[in-house]
Amino acid sequence: AAAAGADRPTECWDGVTVLPPLADDAHQDIRGGLGRALVAVGSESVRVRLGVNVSDRAGGWEHNYRGPDVVAYLDGNPAVCHGTHWEGGPDFLVEIL
């Protein structure tokens, strides 16, 4: 399975699976730094995630989701964490190019 890419992060855009390349070292440094900064300035009222599935649906989310680099959900955001993914958009999102 690993040879087929099953161990790699994917996204699904309206039913089409996209297999982006793994992040390079500089990309990971930026993502980690942003995550640490958000946690440092945040409080218990913010949930910061580095690489998480974000969808617009509870069931069938595997057919439409994104995997942004960094997200932050503030208390009061109506998004729901389903364990495997978040249903609903975050308050803050970063996609590193």
Side-chain angles (χ1 to χ4, degrees), residues 32-48 70 72 74 92:
L34 283 170
R36 286 188 300 277
L38 287 170
V39 169
V41 300
S43 65
E44 291 182 16
S45 64
V46 62
R47 289 160 298 207
V48 176
V70 181
L74 302 175
F92 180 77

Side-chain angles (χ1 to χ4, degrees), residues 72-96:
Y73 287 93
L74 302 175
D75 281 350
N77 184 316
V80 177
C81 178
H82 293 282
T84 55
H85 71 288
W86 281 80
E87 175 191 4
D91 296 290
F92 180 77
L93 179 146
V94 173
E95 186 64 44
I96 301 165

